[in-house]
Short mmCIF file of all heavy atoms in Angstrom, two decimals:
data_model
loop_
_atom_site.label_atom_id
_atom_site.label_comp_id
_atom_site.label_asym_id
_atom_site.label_seq_id
_atom_site.Cartn_x
_atom_site.Cartn_y
_atom_site.Cartn_z
N ASN A 1 40.89 27.28 26.26
CA ASN A 1 41.95 27.09 25.29
C ASN A 1 41.65 25.87 24.42
O ASN A 1 41.89 24.74 24.83
CB ASN A 1 43.29 26.92 26.01
CG ASN A 1 44.45 26.89 25.06
OD1 ASN A 1 44.34 27.26 23.91
ND2 ASN A 1 45.59 26.42 25.54
N PRO A 2 41.11 26.09 23.21
CA PRO A 2 40.81 24.94 22.33
C PRO A 2 42.07 24.40 21.67
O PRO A 2 42.54 24.93 20.68
CB PRO A 2 39.85 25.53 21.30
CG PRO A 2 40.15 26.98 21.28
CD PRO A 2 40.67 27.34 22.64
N THR A 3 42.65 23.36 22.26
CA THR A 3 43.86 22.75 21.70
C THR A 3 43.65 21.26 21.52
O THR A 3 42.85 20.65 22.22
CB THR A 3 45.07 22.97 22.63
OG1 THR A 3 44.78 22.41 23.91
CG2 THR A 3 45.41 24.43 22.76
N GLY A 4 44.38 20.66 20.62
CA GLY A 4 44.32 19.22 20.41
C GLY A 4 42.93 18.75 20.03
O GLY A 4 42.32 19.27 19.11
N ASN A 5 42.42 17.77 20.76
CA ASN A 5 41.09 17.21 20.50
C ASN A 5 39.99 17.97 21.22
O ASN A 5 38.84 17.56 21.20
CB ASN A 5 41.04 15.75 20.92
CG ASN A 5 41.89 14.87 20.03
OD1 ASN A 5 42.22 15.25 18.93
ND2 ASN A 5 42.24 13.70 20.52
N LYS A 6 40.31 19.05 21.89
CA LYS A 6 39.32 19.81 22.67
C LYS A 6 38.59 20.80 21.77
O LYS A 6 39.20 21.55 21.02
CB LYS A 6 40.01 20.58 23.79
CG LYS A 6 39.04 21.26 24.73
CD LYS A 6 39.73 22.19 25.70
CE LYS A 6 40.70 21.48 26.59
NZ LYS A 6 41.28 22.38 27.59
N THR A 7 37.26 20.76 21.82
CA THR A 7 36.44 21.72 21.11
C THR A 7 35.39 22.25 22.07
O THR A 7 35.13 21.67 23.12
CB THR A 7 35.73 21.08 19.89
OG1 THR A 7 34.93 20.00 20.35
CG2 THR A 7 36.72 20.60 18.86
N TYR A 8 34.79 23.35 21.69
CA TYR A 8 33.70 23.93 22.47
C TYR A 8 32.44 23.88 21.64
O TYR A 8 32.45 24.20 20.46
CB TYR A 8 34.04 25.36 22.89
CG TYR A 8 35.19 25.38 23.86
CD1 TYR A 8 36.48 25.62 23.45
CD2 TYR A 8 34.96 25.10 25.20
CE1 TYR A 8 37.54 25.61 24.35
CE2 TYR A 8 36.01 25.08 26.11
CZ TYR A 8 37.29 25.33 25.67
OH TYR A 8 38.33 25.31 26.56
N ARG A 9 31.36 23.46 22.28
CA ARG A 9 30.10 23.24 21.58
C ARG A 9 29.01 24.07 22.24
O ARG A 9 28.85 24.05 23.46
CB ARG A 9 29.74 21.76 21.63
CG ARG A 9 28.47 21.43 20.90
CD ARG A 9 28.29 19.95 20.82
NE ARG A 9 27.44 19.49 21.92
CZ ARG A 9 27.17 18.22 22.15
NH1 ARG A 9 27.70 17.28 21.42
NH2 ARG A 9 26.38 17.88 23.13
N ILE A 10 28.27 24.80 21.43
CA ILE A 10 27.13 25.57 21.90
C ILE A 10 25.88 24.82 21.48
O ILE A 10 25.76 24.40 20.33
CB ILE A 10 27.13 26.99 21.32
CG1 ILE A 10 28.33 27.76 21.86
CG2 ILE A 10 25.83 27.71 21.65
CD1 ILE A 10 28.45 29.16 21.33
N GLU A 11 24.97 24.64 22.44
CA GLU A 11 23.73 23.95 22.14
C GLU A 11 22.61 24.56 22.97
O GLU A 11 22.85 25.24 23.97
CB GLU A 11 23.85 22.46 22.42
CG GLU A 11 24.02 22.10 23.87
CD GLU A 11 24.14 20.60 24.09
OE1 GLU A 11 24.45 19.87 23.15
OE2 GLU A 11 23.90 20.18 25.24
N GLU A 12 21.40 24.28 22.53
CA GLU A 12 20.22 24.72 23.27
C GLU A 12 20.05 23.88 24.52
O GLU A 12 20.26 22.67 24.50
CB GLU A 12 18.99 24.57 22.39
CG GLU A 12 17.70 24.90 23.09
CD GLU A 12 16.48 24.56 22.26
OE1 GLU A 12 16.62 24.22 21.08
OE2 GLU A 12 15.37 24.62 22.82
N THR A 13 19.70 24.53 25.63
CA THR A 13 19.36 23.80 26.84
C THR A 13 17.90 23.38 26.71
O THR A 13 17.02 24.23 26.58
CB THR A 13 19.53 24.69 28.09
OG1 THR A 13 20.86 25.19 28.11
CG2 THR A 13 19.26 23.92 29.35
N PRO A 14 17.60 22.07 26.70
CA PRO A 14 16.21 21.62 26.59
C PRO A 14 15.36 22.16 27.75
O PRO A 14 15.86 22.39 28.85
CB PRO A 14 16.30 20.10 26.64
CG PRO A 14 17.70 19.80 26.22
CD PRO A 14 18.53 20.94 26.70
N LYS A 15 14.07 22.34 27.49
CA LYS A 15 13.18 22.91 28.51
C LYS A 15 13.16 22.10 29.79
O LYS A 15 13.09 22.66 30.88
CB LYS A 15 11.76 23.03 27.94
CG LYS A 15 11.64 24.08 26.87
CD LYS A 15 10.23 24.16 26.33
CE LYS A 15 10.17 25.19 25.21
NZ LYS A 15 8.84 25.28 24.62
N ASP A 16 13.24 20.77 29.70
CA ASP A 16 13.19 19.95 30.91
C ASP A 16 14.50 19.98 31.69
O ASP A 16 14.56 19.50 32.82
CB ASP A 16 12.80 18.50 30.58
CG ASP A 16 13.84 17.79 29.73
OD1 ASP A 16 14.59 18.47 29.00
OD2 ASP A 16 13.90 16.55 29.80
N GLU A 17 15.57 20.57 31.13
CA GLU A 17 16.84 20.68 31.83
C GLU A 17 17.12 22.09 32.34
O GLU A 17 18.17 22.35 32.91
CB GLU A 17 17.98 20.23 30.93
CG GLU A 17 17.93 18.77 30.57
CD GLU A 17 19.01 18.34 29.59
OE1 GLU A 17 19.94 19.14 29.33
OE2 GLU A 17 18.93 17.22 29.09
N LEU A 18 16.18 23.01 32.14
CA LEU A 18 16.38 24.38 32.61
C LEU A 18 16.46 24.44 34.13
O LEU A 18 17.27 25.18 34.69
CB LEU A 18 15.26 25.30 32.11
CG LEU A 18 15.31 25.65 30.63
CD1 LEU A 18 14.09 26.45 30.24
CD2 LEU A 18 16.59 26.39 30.29
N ARG A 19 15.63 23.68 34.80
CA ARG A 19 15.63 23.62 36.26
C ARG A 19 15.79 22.19 36.70
O ARG A 19 14.99 21.33 36.36
CB ARG A 19 14.32 24.15 36.83
CG ARG A 19 14.20 25.61 36.67
CD ARG A 19 13.36 26.17 37.73
NE ARG A 19 13.54 27.61 37.61
CZ ARG A 19 12.91 28.48 38.29
NH1 ARG A 19 12.03 28.09 39.16
NH2 ARG A 19 13.14 29.75 38.12
N LEU A 20 16.83 21.94 37.46
CA LEU A 20 17.04 20.61 38.01
C LEU A 20 16.58 20.62 39.46
O LEU A 20 17.04 21.42 40.27
CB LEU A 20 18.52 20.21 37.91
CG LEU A 20 19.07 20.07 36.50
CD1 LEU A 20 20.55 19.73 36.56
CD2 LEU A 20 18.33 19.00 35.73
N GLU A 21 15.65 19.75 39.77
CA GLU A 21 15.13 19.63 41.13
C GLU A 21 16.12 18.84 41.98
O GLU A 21 17.10 18.29 41.49
CB GLU A 21 13.77 18.92 41.10
CG GLU A 21 12.73 19.57 40.20
CD GLU A 21 12.29 20.93 40.69
OE1 GLU A 21 12.23 21.13 41.92
OE2 GLU A 21 12.00 21.79 39.84
N ALA A 22 15.84 18.75 43.26
CA ALA A 22 16.67 17.94 44.16
C ALA A 22 16.58 16.48 43.71
O ALA A 22 15.50 15.98 43.40
CB ALA A 22 16.19 18.08 45.59
N GLY A 23 17.71 15.81 43.62
CA GLY A 23 17.74 14.43 43.18
C GLY A 23 17.81 14.25 41.67
O GLY A 23 17.79 13.13 41.18
N GLU A 24 17.90 15.35 40.92
CA GLU A 24 18.05 15.28 39.47
C GLU A 24 19.45 15.76 39.08
O GLU A 24 19.99 16.67 39.71
CB GLU A 24 17.02 16.16 38.76
CG GLU A 24 15.60 15.72 38.94
CD GLU A 24 14.63 16.63 38.20
OE1 GLU A 24 14.97 17.77 37.86
OE2 GLU A 24 13.50 16.18 37.98
N PHE A 25 20.03 15.14 38.08
CA PHE A 25 21.34 15.56 37.60
C PHE A 25 21.52 15.15 36.15
O PHE A 25 20.77 14.32 35.63
CB PHE A 25 22.46 15.00 38.49
CG PHE A 25 22.37 13.52 38.75
CD1 PHE A 25 23.06 12.62 37.96
CD2 PHE A 25 21.58 13.03 39.78
CE1 PHE A 25 22.97 11.27 38.19
CE2 PHE A 25 21.49 11.68 40.02
CZ PHE A 25 22.19 10.79 39.23
N LEU A 26 22.51 15.76 35.51
CA LEU A 26 22.81 15.48 34.12
C LEU A 26 24.04 14.58 34.03
O LEU A 26 25.05 14.83 34.67
CB LEU A 26 23.08 16.78 33.35
CG LEU A 26 21.91 17.75 33.26
CD1 LEU A 26 22.34 19.04 32.59
CD2 LEU A 26 20.75 17.12 32.51
N VAL A 27 23.93 13.53 33.21
CA VAL A 27 25.03 12.59 33.03
C VAL A 27 25.51 12.70 31.59
O VAL A 27 24.71 12.58 30.66
CB VAL A 27 24.55 11.14 33.32
CG1 VAL A 27 25.65 10.15 33.04
CG2 VAL A 27 24.05 11.02 34.73
N PRO A 28 26.82 12.92 31.37
CA PRO A 28 27.32 12.93 30.00
C PRO A 28 27.37 11.51 29.43
O PRO A 28 27.77 10.57 30.11
CB PRO A 28 28.73 13.52 30.13
CG PRO A 28 29.09 13.39 31.56
CD PRO A 28 27.82 13.27 32.34
N VAL A 29 26.93 11.36 28.18
CA VAL A 29 26.87 10.06 27.51
C VAL A 29 27.73 10.12 26.25
O VAL A 29 27.65 11.08 25.49
CB VAL A 29 25.42 9.69 27.14
CG1 VAL A 29 25.36 8.36 26.42
CG2 VAL A 29 24.54 9.68 28.38
N ALA A 30 28.56 9.10 26.04
CA ALA A 30 29.40 9.01 24.85
C ALA A 30 29.24 7.63 24.23
O ALA A 30 28.95 6.65 24.92
CB ALA A 30 30.86 9.27 25.21
N HIS A 31 29.43 7.56 22.93
CA HIS A 31 29.40 6.28 22.21
C HIS A 31 30.82 5.74 22.16
O HIS A 31 31.77 6.49 21.95
CB HIS A 31 28.90 6.49 20.78
CG HIS A 31 27.57 7.15 20.71
ND1 HIS A 31 27.42 8.52 20.72
CD2 HIS A 31 26.34 6.64 20.63
CE1 HIS A 31 26.14 8.80 20.64
NE2 HIS A 31 25.46 7.69 20.58
#
């Protein structure tokens, strides 16, 4: 439900993020 400040973003998954090994994870970064 896109309401208020919420939006949905489609982006390409980079090749190095296609498979996450054990001990790897993605961290969201904001300015």
